[in-house]
Amino acid sequence: MRIDIITIFPDYFAALDLSLVGKARTRGLLDVAVHDLRGYTDDPHRSVDDAAYGGGPGMVMSPQPWGRALESVAGGAGDAGITAGRGDTAGRGDTAGRGAGAPSAGRAGGAHPDAGRRPRIVFPTPSGVPFTQRLSRELAEQAWLVFCCGRYEGIDRRVLDAWADDEVSLGDYVLAGGEVATLAIVEAVTRLVPGVLGNEESAGDDSFSTGLLEGPVYTRPASFDGRAVPDVLLSGDHAAVHRWRRVQSLLTTAARRPDLLARATLSRDDVAVLEAAGVGVPAEIARRMAQ
Ligand code: SAM
């Protein structure tokens, strides 16, 4: 998978050298490039913002640098937008200091393999659709993603109208910029790319993958501060462990996110577990069971 990130703070993305994402990059599963929006300005101050039309406090990100950056990075211009040191650590080898349209010092030799293809372009914004595991899975199937990190009061609407495939919110709160949101989305998406996780099965058991939350997990020692690990986990009885985990998952979801239960696929055994625990089974589930 190829990922391009456009930002005025490339250094935020140094974290993409670490952990699973860093290893996946080293192994060639991910190709990540970070582009400094200021490299696409044409004034001496490298300005990326201006006062809001209509007045009011705060600045708005100007459309011109965004238009140039997106045309260069994602506009199907072959390798014209591939930055120097593509795949380098965030903050190194980005386009800082490069004027719009400056020749690429990227990959050598002919057209970039992505020439003529179009990426899926994601703008993190509090007014976007909520980011979910379902959307994460959908994005993980794309060959090429571009993330556009807003700052200040956001990006001039015309840029999103022209370029956005997805406007995605991380939650009902306001961050200072799109960088942390992009990091979160990139981490959630890339761990679903085949080969990125060491154990392919572990993503399937995660919260939300099954429509439920995952229950509690334990490791050694068997007793810690007077608190024991549940006996069943030490029993060696795999079927019993499997059943216990399902029950814990159901009870955790019922206690913390009952809204998820209504949409989950539940078996009759699941419903019996919830009823035995005194949890009201959502009407929609009860109706489906009765059919
Ligand atoms: N004035 C905007 C509003 O009220 O919707 C908030 C702008 S915010 C200070 C600056 C940037 O941070 C946004 O353009 C977006 O890129 C990012 N951002 C802030 N909160 C976010 C959230 N909950 N989800 C995704 N991105 C967010």
Side-chain angles (χ1 to χ4, degrees), residues 124-126 150-154 168-171 173-178 181:
T125 163
R151 279 271 152 181
Y152 314 113
E153 290 305 317
V168 179
S169 169
L170 218 59
Y173 44 81
V174 178
L175 300 163

Side-chain angles (χ1 to χ4, degrees), residues 78-129:
D79 64 348
I82 305 306
T83 55
R86 184 175 168 72
D88 277 359
T89 307
R92 279 192 283 116
D94 57 38
T95 53
R98 209 159 62 75
S104 165
R107 291 172 175 135
H112 186 274
D114 291 318
R117 287 169 50 206
R118 198 187 178 288
R120 185 145 161 184
I121 303 178
V122 181
F123 286 75
T125 163
S127 49
V129 298

Side-chain angles (χ1 to χ4, degrees), residues 59-81:
M59 304 295 273
V60 175
M61 292 192 107
S62 308
Q64 302 95 321
W66 275 108
R68 288 189 203 109
L70 279 158
E71 194 55 54
S72 174
V73 171
D79 64 348

Side-chain angles (χ1 to χ4, degrees), residues 21-195:
V21 177
K23 280 191 200 133
R25 292 174 72 183
T26 307
R27 288 161 55 213
L29 293 169
L30 299 176
D31 180 8
V32 181
V34 182
H35 309 266
D36 189 341
L37 183 68
R38 292 192 196 278
Y40 296 91
T41 54
D42 57 6
D43 69 307
H45 302 292
R46 307 207 304 154
S47 323
V48 293
D49 60 319
D50 207 337
Y53 272 125
M59 304 295 273
V60 175
M61 292 192 107
S62 308
Q64 302 95 321
W66 275 108
R68 288 189 203 109
L70 279 158
E71 194 55 54
S72 174
V73 171
D79 64 348
I82 305 306
T83 55
R86 184 175 168 72
D88 277 359
T89 307
R92 279 192 283 116
D94 57 38
T95 53
R98 209 159 62 75
S104 165
R107 291 172 175 135
H112 186 274
D114 291 318
R117 287 169 50 206
R118 198 187 178 288
R120 185 145 161 184
I121 303 178
V122 181
F123 286 75
T125 163
S127 49
V129 298
F131 185 56
T132 59
Q133 190 69 4
R134 181 188 297 259
L135 180 54
S136 196
R137 272 196 297 270
E138 196 182 313
L139 295 180
E141 285 169 11
Q142 309 296 312
W144 183 10
L145 298 173
V146 173
F147 292 91
C148 303
C149 304
R151 279 271 152 181
Y152 314 113
E153 290 305 317
I155 303 172
D156 186 302
R157 181 68 222 175
R158 292 164 292 183
V159 176
L160 289 94
D161 288 343
W163 290 93
D165 293 307
D166 299 88
E167 296 179 41
V168 179
S169 169
L170 218 59
D172 292 350
Y173 44 81
V174 178
L175 300 163
E179 287 75 13
V180 166
T182 294
L183 280 169
I185 296 169
V186 166
E187 189 159 301
V189 168
T190 54
R191 68 193 289 283
L192 300 178
V193 170

Side-chain angles (χ1 to χ4, degrees), residues 233-253:
L233 297 180
L234 310 176
S235 69
D237 181 340
H238 295 298
V241 169
H242 183 77
R243 273 196 307 279
W244 181 86
R245 286 192 171 140
R246 182 72 184 175
V247 169
Q248 295 304 313
S249 176
L250 287 163
L251 298 181
T252 302
T253 308

